[in-house]
Amino acid sequence: MKWRDVKAGELGKKQIGRRLALAGWAATRRDHGGLVFIDLRDESGLAQLVINPERAPEAAKIAHGVRNEFVLRAEGEVAARAAEAVNPNLPTGEVELQVDELEIVSRSEALPFQLDEENVDEGLRLRYRYLDLRREQMQRNLRLSATVVGAIRRFMDDEGFIDVWTPNMSKATPEGARDFLVPVRLQPGRFFALMQSPQLFKQTLMVSGFGRYYQIATCFRDEDLRADRQFEFRQLDLEISFPTRDDVFEALEGSVTASFEALGREAPARPFRRLTWQEAMSRYGSDKPDLRFGLELHDATEVTRGSEFKVFSGAASVQYLTVPQELSRAELASLEELAKEWGGKGLAYLVFDEQGEVRSPIAKFLSEEELEAVRPETPGATVLFGADSPGTVARVLSAVRNHLGRELGLIDESRNEFLWVTDFPLFEWDEDGQRWTFSHHPFTGVRPGDEDLIESDPGAALSQAYDLVWNGWELGSGSIRIHDPEVQKRIFRAMGISDEDAEERFGFLLEVLRMGAPPHGGFALGIERFVALLAGERNIREVVAFPKAASGSEPLTGAPTPIAQEVLAELGIQVLPQKD
Ligand code: ASP
């Protein structure tokens, strides 16, 4: 027996008069006492079944017992719907199946939520993910994800990139997160790390002569979960030998374009815009600015050096942005709260009314020159200040900028702003460890000409790292790498890693680099972030089939779970007693 002759979503006028079988889930059932209507759903869409007791008394009896999400098989005749019953919102809405035989193939217990219910609690959705995935939104998102990954693969294959699988369990790769560790039964007391990225393997593949590598690689990072972060995620990971930075950019821009086209959308204009890190920070206070709106930052550090207002004169950096309207006291108070959440001490402001008069508790402390320097071109505006260390000012004003962009409706949602941010600093100062650490990863190339700064002024050295940003989301990072083992050692030293430590942790890399390493560089694009944005979702959980909840657990399976003593003993592991 064939389960079905066509899919539900394929039913149409051309089949009128034919006897066909359909199989799928009962999405809704309307029991009119006599006639029963069932919307039957499968992967292709919905079709209406009509069960008429006069035509099929046995089927009608069965139909009365059908509940939502039962699996059914129905056989009958395709018929045109009466004019008043045509549903123009449904692709199959002109026809229905007049059922002769109905079979309940499989039953469903009472549902924890209805699939067409809005705003179902996310905990419940994740606990019953298999039901949640039947919903239209999730069906659409996972299909979109598959379309995008397929398009990227085709593009990369066509461009001569070789898909190479690299280990998921190996030696730790520093990407700024903690490692998930895997014990090894054959060597108790030793652990593999789940790879934070295939970084060192892809560099090795360049030394091995592959020229162009890519992989849709799963990466594992133990860090707090957020809207754009899961413990495991996929990257379009790629590496190129003898590259210019533009070669890398072209591969990424091509992948993005191919994805848009595969979805039938207009691709963003190329080449993508570029800003140096320095410019992005000074104009937007962020290394991932949303360029769909203005509200740029301006500097007032110099002009306020001698200010009577001590908050300004005593701050290492004073920056401001001009909101093109007079904000109310309540709005200003809530912005101040936001500033505090982001580590600011407050949020000084000046409101310039339509007459150009200033309203502000701090106005009396500012000189005419200071006021004139920040006076908006058009009156009826509010100037918001950040005054603190440069890092804090940037963080606070960038958060305020993003907030206002959304709240004041300044964001043009129809725009797609892709941006390359380049020339990142090579190092960052790690307050906790009181040492320099990498800002991208330790294998990132130094900007030509900045090599001497590695020792003399690490904070001033720039790198050959770049990020790709889309509408304020960081899609991924990459760099031209270090291919000279001596430079690589100097970078380790600058980060306080002794030659001995470097040998122990990265000895294999240093050896690889000593064996004829070509110049190389690459990138990794976060697939889930990219897909989430393409799907119009704000959380990557919405495009992941079985994501972890914010707590880090997997509600469907109940993982992570304790492990039996004997198993742990075999691995040489003893678990310390846990609080609670
Ligand atoms: N391995 C880097 C990352 O995962 C990407 C790269 O530098 O290619 O962010």
Side-chain angles (χ1 to χ4, degrees):
M1 180 198 64
K2 263 172 94 178
W3 284 109
R4 54 186 177 179
D5 298 311
V6 286
K7 292 184 187 160
E10 291 166 357
L11 220 58
K13 279 190 356 203
K14 57 188 178 308
Q15 293 127 332
I16 288 175
R18 286 183 57 195
R19 271 191 70 81
L20 294 174
L22 294 177
W25 287 260
T28 54
R29 189 187 66 116
R30 295 182 304 286
D31 198 330
H32 290 217
L35 286 183
V36 178
F37 294 91
I38 294 174
D39 280 339
L40 192 80
R41 184 191 70 240
D42 66 15
E43 69 274 25
S44 65
L46 287 177
Q48 177 165 288
L49 310 180
V50 184
I51 304 105
N52 184 338
E54 281 166 24
R55 179 184 176 116
E58 273 309 305
K61 264 192 231 154
I62 295 170
H64 291 307
V66 168
R67 296 290 172 267
N68 280 2
E69 300 306 308
F70 276 26
V71 178
L72 308 176
R73 178 178 187 275
E75 217 173 298
E77 186 183 325
V78 183
R81 292 197 199 182
E84 66 283 3
V86 166
N87 180 352
N89 300 321
L90 196 66
T92 61
E94 288 180 309
V95 293
E96 58 196 13
L97 192 76
Q98 297 279 353
V99 175
D100 293 314
E101 283 169 43
L102 184 68
E103 184 191 343
I104 294 177
V105 178
S106 155
R107 291 168 188 273
S108 170
E109 292 178 5
L111 298 168
F113 54 87
Q114 295 304 318
L115 302 195
D116 56 1
E117 219 172 299
E118 304 258 333
N119 302 322
V120 178
D121 171 62
E122 204 198 4
L124 207 56
R125 288 179 55 204
L126 293 180
R127 167 68 187 80
Y128 298 97
R129 191 59 153 180
Y130 48 92
L131 295 176
D132 186 46
L133 291 178
R134 288 184 195 162
R135 291 169 52 241
E136 204 205 323
Q137 169 206 11
M138 297 308 297
Q139 289 275 321
R140 193 177 57 231
N141 287 355
L142 294 195
R143 284 161 204 279
L144 183 147
S145 178
T147 303
V148 168
V149 170
I152 290 176
R153 284 191 179 286
R154 271 192 301 283
F155 173 80
M156 295 300 284
D157 292 339
D158 289 349
E159 291 294 304
F161 287 85
I162 317 292
D163 179 357
V164 183
W165 182 45
T166 57
N168 283 322
M169 297 193 299
S170 181
K171 205 165 173 173
T173 35
E175 292 279 4
R178 290 187 176 84
D179 292 313
F180 283 103
L181 300 175
V182 184
V184 185
R185 181 183 51 84
L186 296 176
Q187 299 180 54
R190 293 184 167 245
F191 297 83
F192 285 112
L194 292 181
M195 303 311 286
Q196 291 191 33
S197 81
Q199 183 62 36
L200 296 182
F201 288 111
K202 67 176 171 175
Q203 291 192 230
T204 303
L205 287 169
M206 294 304 102
V207 179
S208 302
F210 281 95
R212 298 189 132 205
Y213 141 93
Y214 90 99
Q215 183 180 187
I216 305 291
T218 305
C219 303
F220 305 85
R221 297 186 188 177
D222 183 359
E223 49 192 353
D224 293 344
L225 291 91
R226 291 194 199 145
D228 62 354
R229 269 198 207 158
Q230 282 275 307
F231 287 158
E232 41 185 328
F233 57 93
R234 291 173 303 167
Q235 292 185 336
L236 161 62
D237 194 49
L238 63 90
E239 198 73 8
I240 304 176
S241 286
F242 305 109
T244 61
R245 192 173 67 180
D246 284 342
D247 293 334
V248 180
F249 287 7
E250 265 169 36
L252 268 301
E253 294 186 12
S255 298
V256 168
T257 302
S259 303
F260 271 73
E261 285 170 354
L263 296 173
R265 301 187 191 171
E266 194 188 331
R270 286 171 70 182
F272 297 167
R273 287 173 67 178
R274 297 180 191 186
L275 285 178
T276 63
W277 176 85
Q278 188 59 54
E279 203 178 348
M281 292 306 291
S282 63
R283 287 174 59 186
Y284 304 98
S286 168
D287 58 6
K288 45 177 188 257
D290 187 342
L291 298 187
R292 290 172 301 169
F293 64 104
L295 277 194
E296 292 192 20
L297 274 48
H298 300 280
D299 188 68
T301 314
E302 279 317 306
V303 73
T304 56
R305 266 321 61 171
S307 183
E308 264 183 57
F309 186 47
K310 295 293 172 244
V311 172
F312 284 180
S313 53
S317 168
V318 182
Q319 310 272 322
Y320 66 95
L321 53 83
T322 304
V323 187
Q325 67 187 60
E326 294 177 47
L327 296 179
S328 69
R329 262 178 212 287
E331 285 166 323
L332 288 162
S334 90
L335 286 174
E336 178 160 21
E337 276 313 303
L338 178 76
K340 286 183 179 160
E341 273 166 39
W342 287 87
K345 293 187 199 75
L347 190 70
Y349 64 86
L350 296 171
V351 179
F352 290 84
D353 69 15
E354 290 296 341
Q355 283 69 46
E357 294 297 320
V358 190
R359 264 192 290 123
S360 161
I362 68 164
K364 57 179 177 290
F365 300 112
L366 300 183
S367 67
E368 207 40 46
E369 189 202 350
E370 285 169 305
L371 285 174
E372 283 319 301
V374 303
R375 179 180 289 280
E377 274 164 31
T378 35
T382 307
V383 179
L384 300 171
F385 291 91
D388 213 309
S389 66
T392 305
V393 171
R395 200 168 55 245
V396 169
L397 286 188
S398 149
V400 168
R401 176 178 177 271
N402 284 332
H403 177 83
L404 288 171
R406 283 192 300 273
E407 291 297 304
L408 304 179
L410 304 176
I411 299 176
D412 177 351
E413 299 283 351
S414 70
R415 272 167 68 181
N416 279 312
E417 288 294 343
F418 281 86
L419 168 72
W420 289 107
V421 179
T422 64
D423 302 81
F424 277 75
L426 188 58
F427 297 110
E428 276 171 16
W429 182 248
D430 170 11
E431 274 300 331
D432 296 336
Q434 287 293 301
R435 62 181 179 92
W436 292 104
T437 183
F438 53 86
S439 80
H440 177 40
H441 53 53
F443 320 108
T444 302
V446 190
R447 188 176 69 155
D450 281 7
E451 292 84 354
D452 290 346
L453 297 173
I454 298 173
E455 288 84 16
S456 64
D457 190 1
L462 295 185
S463 73
Q464 301 197 67
Y466 32 77
D467 275 4
L468 180 59
V469 178
W470 179 15
N471 294 347
W473 277 44
E474 181 198 317
L475 288 184
S477 309
S479 56
I480 302 295
R481 326 294 184 188
I482 298 164
H483 68 277
D484 176 341
E486 287 312 311
V487 176
Q488 185 64 71
K489 278 198 206 161
R490 286 167 62 191
I491 297 285
F492 288 143
R493 277 183 220 127
M495 298 190 326
I497 301 176
S498 68
D499 285 4
E500 255 180 8
D501 273 1
E503 203 48 57
E504 184 173 321
R505 288 169 59 190
F506 305 110
F508 76 99
L509 171 71
L510 294 169
E511 180 186 295
V512 166
L513 294 182
R514 288 197 300 269
M515 295 291 193
H520 57 287
F523 197 83
L525 172 97
I527 297 281
E528 280 70 33
R529 286 188 190 176
F530 184 44
V531 168
L533 285 177
L534 285 168
E537 299 287 3
R538 301 304 301 174
N539 194 312
I540 61 172
R541 286 199 289 267
E542 302 294 2
V543 300
V544 175
F546 302 105
K548 307 288 181 278
S551 62
S553 306
E554 197 173 69
L556 175 64
T557 63
T561 53
I563 296 295
Q565 267 319 320
E566 314 84 83
V567 179
L568 290 176
E570 203 175 22
L571 296 167
I573 292 176
Q574 197 179 0
V575 177
L576 297 175
Q578 302 299 298
K579 290 183 207 120
D580 307 324

